[in-house]
Amino acid sequence: MELQNHQQMSQGQGMSSQPNMGSQANTRNHSAHEMMDTHEVIGSLIGMLEQYQLYDQHIQDTQLKNILQRQSAFTTQLYNTVIGVFQTGRDPQVPTQEYKMQESNEVIYGLKPGQPKQPKQTINELTDECYSSFMLGQTKTVATGMTTAALEMNQPVLRRVIADSIPNMLEMAYELFLYQNKHGYYQLPKLSDQDTQMMEQGYAPAGQQGMH
């Protein structure tokens, strides 16, 4: 999120106050490492948007198509924000937004028997289960790349934009997981109640040693 409005917009998200920009001459300083990481992030955003274009013409389920179109529109704006900051080092014209999924967060646990999975042999065999899985993989890839990049960033505005965008990609991935889970595409095995309770009770609070 851009530095100028960062403190106001990040309240409630537990983010730190804005760093000191220093001289304006430093706004476009990028280390070589940061340049390459940003190149990877931008490339992953382009790849996601291009792949979503391919999926859109094949998806049959209206709900999944709506998810794709909402995520694509949001990611397009995010892409424009990232390249704007990358090229200028200044606050973007459009601030970092917050992606809000429309899926309820109720999760179905347990496994149901089904046919063994195997790679599809033709495009005609691909289903909404396949496309939702591809989309989940895309969002996970972008989220992972942004996290790695943000840890190595030195330009403060770009670092904040990338860091503030990670929760949005996590939310997109979670939305796709929930869609898959509710349609039986992403099933969740569960431990017995006894085993779960034993693991939960296997920890105790740490003492405040060395704290004065």
Side-chain angles (χ1 to χ4, degrees):
M1 191 175 296
E2 68 287 355
L3 298 184
Q4 182 177 352
N5 300 320
H6 170 256
Q7 186 171 15
Q8 178 182 356
M9 296 185 67
S10 64
Q11 290 179 354
Q13 298 182 16
M15 296 178 180
S16 60
S17 60
Q18 63 187 48
N20 187 357
M21 285 282 294
S23 66
Q24 192 67 22
N26 293 326
T27 58
R28 294 184 63 185
N29 284 348
H30 298 291
S31 67
H33 193 116
E34 178 180 78
M35 290 288 287
M36 299 309 298
D37 278 351
T38 307
H39 177 76
E40 292 292 332
V41 168
I42 294 173
S44 68
L45 290 172
I46 291 175
M48 176 179 170
L49 290 169
E50 291 177 342
Q51 291 294 322
Y52 271 36
Q53 289 289 334
L54 291 176
Y55 308 153
D56 189 28
Q57 58 187 313
H58 297 292
I59 289 174
Q60 300 298 313
D61 182 51
T62 301
Q63 182 185 12
L64 181 59
K65 188 177 286 285
N66 288 338
I67 292 174
L68 180 145
Q69 292 174 351
R70 285 189 292 103
Q71 292 192 358
S72 182
F74 186 95
T75 304
T76 299
Q77 180 57 64
L78 171 59
Y79 166 80
N80 289 333
T81 296
V82 170
I83 64 171
V85 173
F86 182 52
Q87 293 171 348
T88 67
R90 300 179 180 178
D91 291 347
Q93 294 182 350
V94 179
T96 309
Q97 306 295 305
E98 180 183 0
Y99 183 79
K100 296 181 180 180
M101 68 176 187
Q102 297 181 358
E103 289 282 318
S104 67
N105 58 6
E106 297 176 358
V107 177
I108 300 171
Y109 294 93
L111 300 178
K112 295 181 180 180
Q115 295 296 320
K117 295 183 182 297
Q118 59 183 161
K120 308 298 184 187
Q121 301 300 308
T122 66
I123 292 180
N124 292 332
E125 295 180 78
L126 297 177
T127 64
D128 287 343
E129 177 178 2
C130 301
Y131 294 120
S132 59
S133 179
F134 300 158
M135 292 165 65
L136 179 58
Q138 292 285 333
T139 53
K140 285 183 175 181
T141 296
V142 176
T144 301
M146 283 184 165
T147 302
T148 301
L151 292 169
E152 302 290 342
M153 292 274 170
N154 59 273
Q155 207 285 338
V157 184
L158 181 60
R159 188 194 74 84
R160 177 51 58 196
V161 167
I162 297 298
D164 282 358
S165 297
I166 296 169
N168 290 321
M169 303 311 302
L170 297 179
E171 196 78 351
M172 290 185 195
Y174 187 51
E175 180 178 41
L176 289 163
F177 154 72
L178 290 170
Y179 171 87
Q180 284 210 312
N181 176 253
K182 290 171 185 176
H183 287 77
Y185 305 152
Y186 197 133
Q187 299 188 47
L188 296 175
K190 189 177 181 181
L191 295 174
S192 68
D193 291 343
Q194 181 180 1
D195 288 346
T196 299
Q197 186 177 22
M198 288 180 62
M199 293 189 70
E200 289 175 346
Q201 296 179 354
Y203 304 92
Q208 298 299 311
Q209 297 180 4
M211 301 294 290
H212 300 286

